Amino acid sequence: MYISDMFGTKKTLWSFEIFPPKPTADIDGIKRTVGALADLRPDYVSVTCSAGGSGNSRTIEIAQMLRDDFGVEPLAHLTCINSTKEDISASLEKLSAAGIDNVLALRGDRIAGAAPSPDFSHADELVRYIRGKGYAFDIAGACYPEGHPESADPVEDINNLKRKVEAGVTHLNSQLFYDNDDFFRFSERLALAGITVPVQAGIMPLVKKSTVDRIVGLTGAKIPNKISRMISRFYDDPDSLMEAGIAYATDQIVDLISAGVRGIHLYVMNNSTVARRITENVSSMLASVNR
């Protein structure tokens, strides 16, 4: 089922993002995680490409597992920053043969020492290429409420995003953010630019020291004072940091749903316990808005 069609049947979607195991890792661990997430009945689950430039060697495998073993619609990530047109064509053929309907088209993160693509510089070029090949994929894209870190200013960022939508993106998932006002201001800029595709708010709970150190450092997300105090107080107290991070994420989500956001995309870092706790916290609200 196309994710774009889901927006026609629900006011607010609920989805998760997971990452595949390393190529040599056993499949049982991720299968248990996928099963636990499937029990929470998300509208779909997105599967990232493997980290560190190893590509999408297991993305399709996990996407098929979601659909065939657990009945959950997958969204397969596809990056182009280090790929040729031939590489992308091969990936598209594999995705199509696997029966995957939904693709998240991304430029991808720059990787030190990796040769840049001779064919693709930006995600809108990838979207146009996919559309031009004639495949019947539903294509999602990414957006940045605080602005893409490589954009000169918010105007350039929105113009680049508009090109991506005009190329054929049907909905957008946002990068993580911790100040909802940034998302609301971003939504206003989208409206002014005439960008009307549904946007899901990306939420990543800060529940572990490793998340604080690695993810926030990589994304450059702004850390509000409220979160800064939380991290400072509970950084070396794992149980309390877990509880505080879940509480903060829940508060963000309640505010976003109350404001009419079209969806929440929860970056769960393969932690089904965190996904379950937050889902339970907001399930009645989701049920209410989707009646």
Side-chain angles (χ1 to χ4, degrees):
M1 180 179 183
Y2 289 154
I3 292 171
S4 59
D5 290 338
M6 297 180 187
F7 287 102
T9 61
K10 284 189 172 183
K11 293 181 180 178
T12 303
L13 298 192
W14 182 253
S15 59
F16 303 132
E17 181 164 300
I18 61 173
F19 56 86
K22 295 178 180 178
T24 57
D26 187 81
I27 199 69
D28 289 342
I30 191 66
K31 192 164 189 175
R32 287 191 295 270
T33 298
V34 168
L37 294 176
D39 287 342
L40 300 174
R41 301 177 62 116
D43 292 297
Y44 70 89
V45 173
S46 75
V47 186
T48 72
C49 297
S50 301
S54 51
N56 64 346
S57 57
R58 303 196 79 169
T59 300
I60 298 175
E61 177 186 5
I62 305 307
Q64 285 184 291
M65 179 196 297
L66 277 158
R67 186 197 61 207
D68 297 342
D69 295 351
F70 298 99
V72 176
E73 192 64 45
L75 171 64
H77 290 213
L78 181 64
T79 60
C80 64
I81 191 169
N82 304 118
S83 299
T84 63
K85 288 181 178 178
E86 289 74 21
D87 295 331
I88 295 298
S89 291
S91 294
L92 293 173
E93 182 58 35
K94 290 176 182 177
L95 287 162
S96 180
I100 304 301
D101 289 329
N102 300 283
V103 173
L104 178 61
L106 304 162
R107 186 199 69 179
D109 297 327
R110 300 188 188 280
I111 301 169
S117 170
D119 299 317
F120 304 101
S121 299
H122 304 286
D124 66 290
E125 296 167 351
L126 175 60
V127 176
R128 286 191 178 87
Y129 185 75
I130 297 171
R131 291 296 186 205
K133 297 295 286 186
Y135 289 104
F137 295 116
D138 199 30
I139 306 176
C143 60
Y144 294 76
E146 298 177 43
H148 193 286
E150 295 182 21
S151 292
D153 52 51
V155 173
E156 179 183 91
D157 183 57
I158 292 296
N159 287 337
N160 290 338
L161 185 57
K162 190 168 186 178
R163 279 193 288 272
K164 192 187 303 184
V165 172
E166 290 171 343
V169 161
T170 58
H171 96 274
L172 298 165
N173 284 348
S174 92
Q175 179 60 275
L176 63 92
F177 59 92
Y178 295 101
D179 186 340
N180 285 0
D181 284 342
D182 287 328
F183 184 84
F184 297 143
R185 284 189 290 266
F186 174 69
S187 298
E188 291 172 356
R189 292 197 296 273
L190 294 182
L192 289 172
I195 298 174
T196 59
V197 298
V199 181
Q200 286 187 252
I203 301 297
M204 179 177 285
L206 289 178
V207 295
K208 291 184 177 181
K209 289 170 63 173
S210 58
T211 307
V212 173
D213 294 339
R214 184 166 61 91
I215 299 300
V216 176
L218 284 173
T219 63
K222 183 177 72 180
I223 302 300
N225 289 335
K226 187 176 179 180
I227 271 218
S228 182
R229 288 191 294 270
M230 181 189 86
I231 293 170
S232 178
R233 178 66 179 84
F234 301 120
Y235 186 76
D236 291 315
D237 183 348
D239 291 341
S240 295
L241 182 59
M242 172 75 75
E243 294 301 317
I246 289 172
Y248 190 93
T250 299
D251 184 62
Q252 268 194 283
I253 293 166
V254 168
D255 185 40
L256 289 163
I257 295 175
S258 300
V261 71
R262 293 304 314 276
I264 302 293
H265 191 60
L266 197 64
Y267 298 102
V268 299
M269 301 300 292
N270 292 22
N271 190 324
S272 60
T273 298
V274 171
R276 176 180 55 78
R277 291 278 306 278
I278 295 176
T279 301
E280 289 173 349
N281 287 345
V282 301
S283 59
S284 61
M285 177 178 289
L286 283 168
S288 176
V289 299
N290 284 317
R291 284 197 188 105

